[in-house]
Amino acid sequence: MRCLSPLPCRSSLARFWRLAPLALALTVVGWLAPADAEASGAAISVEDDSGQRVTLAQPAERIIALAPHLVELSYAVGAGGQLVGAIDGSDYPPAARQLDRVGSYRGIPLELIVAKQPDLVLVWGSGTPASLIEQLELLDIPVYRSEPRKLEQIAGDLRDIGRLTGHSDAGEQAASDFEQALEGTSQQLSPAPRVFYQLGQSPLTTLAGGQIVTQVIRHCGGVPLFDDAPVLVPQIGWESLVEAQPEVILAAGNDDRWQAFWTSHDELPAVRDGALYTLDPDAISRPAPRMIQAVRQVCRALADTTP
């Protein structure tokens, strides 16, 4: 018989009490759920290393990385599978060697990038041609500029790329791991050794204070020579180097052959004391998680020279 009472009938009441716990649980979940932009479909917005705001309507699914360190950062946050193109030289992790190439340091054709239909292009602020970045932005292709000049900015890039690609948790974890590793390597030495980083040999060049390598030297307790130069890659005269009296000389290389250049120059304390150290070229030159390996190398080298 149909129930005509204005109050709930027995069958309706039974149904109500069966469903009430589920309804209450769903309500509580709604109250407690975090306002996660990725989960709610809200726009994702970060500020890149150049101070530009990068906003996506949803996490990027097709990514192009125009520097090897950006490929490494992408894999580190779990976004390697979303890479549809990379620049030549992107060889880490090993899976990156299978990525389609969209150019090299000799040139990056715009049409190769556009053909991949990316919804995010990761560029190297000072290494990717400015004209190419401008063309990408004119085509409304989102661009994230990576230019870490300080060690802590590597962690920032990990967090940003994690968010932009839908891997916030993995990005946060990778960033935290890097920061903890940095904290564990920081050292102060007394007296602080004077350190010359050899970038090129003929002519003799180094990196100035705007480059992350000088930050590594300071992090490890050394004094980077010529870090106050007005250009990022200054050419160093021999007289200036002798006057600076470097106590440690560092260079990146696959072997120690570069050290032969210095053997006859024992007017330099570093040569006289045998304080010439070879660094892993990829670890020291790519601002990505593997840079912690170079930090450890530099810190050990500088600690070895301190009485």
Side-chain angles (χ1 to χ4, degrees), residues 127-139:
T128 304
S131 58
L132 176 63
I133 296 175
E134 182 179 357
Q135 289 173 314
L136 291 170
E137 292 179 328
L138 287 173
L139 292 172

Side-chain angles (χ1 to χ4, degrees), residues 154-267:
I154 295 175
D157 282 10
L158 285 165
R159 289 188 174 95
D160 288 348
I161 294 173
R163 290 194 62 204
L164 291 171
T165 60
H167 300 280
S168 291
D169 290 345
E172 179 60 40
Q173 185 63 58
S176 296
D177 290 346
F178 185 80
E179 288 170 336
Q180 289 176 13
L182 273 183
E183 186 176 351
T185 57
S186 178
Q187 65 185 16
Q188 293 183 342
L189 301 174
S190 182
R194 297 186 300 278
V195 183
F196 177 67
Y197 180 79
Q198 176 193 313
L199 180 63
Q201 194 170 92
S202 183
L204 197 60
T205 56
T206 190
L207 295 173
Q211 292 285 0
I212 200 167
V213 173
T214 61
Q215 302 299 316
V216 173
I217 294 170
R218 290 192 181 280
H219 177 84
C220 291
V223 177
L225 298 176
F226 310 107
D227 72 329
D228 57 352
V231 294
L232 291 178
V233 182
Q235 184 172 331
I236 307 302
W238 187 256
E239 295 79 7
S240 297
L241 186 62
V242 172
E243 183 179 353
Q245 288 288 282
E247 296 167 300
V248 179
I249 297 177
L250 306 173
N254 295 315
D255 53 51
D256 295 336
R257 284 180 292 180
W258 65 274
Q259 297 180 10
F261 169 81
W262 298 96
T263 54
S264 61
H265 297 294
D266 58 4
E267 67 270 32

Side-chain angles (χ1 to χ4, degrees), residues 93-173:
R97 298 168 188 164
Q98 307 304 317
L99 294 171
D100 289 346
R101 297 321 194 208
V102 294
S104 68
Y105 290 118
R106 293 184 297 274
I108 306 173
L110 176 65
E111 58 270 21
L112 287 183
I113 295 178
V114 174
K116 293 292 185 182
Q117 298 182 315
D119 42 26
L120 177 65
V121 178
L122 307 174
V123 305
W124 178 17
S126 61
T128 304
S131 58
L132 176 63
I133 296 175
E134 182 179 357
Q135 289 173 314
L136 291 170
E137 292 179 328
L138 287 173
L139 292 172
D140 290 327
I141 298 176
V143 172
Y144 178 90
R145 295 168 175 83
S146 170
E147 189 72 29
R149 294 290 175 85
K150 297 181 179 179
L151 287 167
E152 57 266 26
Q153 286 182 295
I154 295 175
D157 282 10
L158 285 165
R159 289 188 174 95
D160 288 348
I161 294 173
R163 290 194 62 204
L164 291 171
T165 60
H167 300 280
S168 291
D169 290 345
E172 179 60 40
Q173 185 63 58

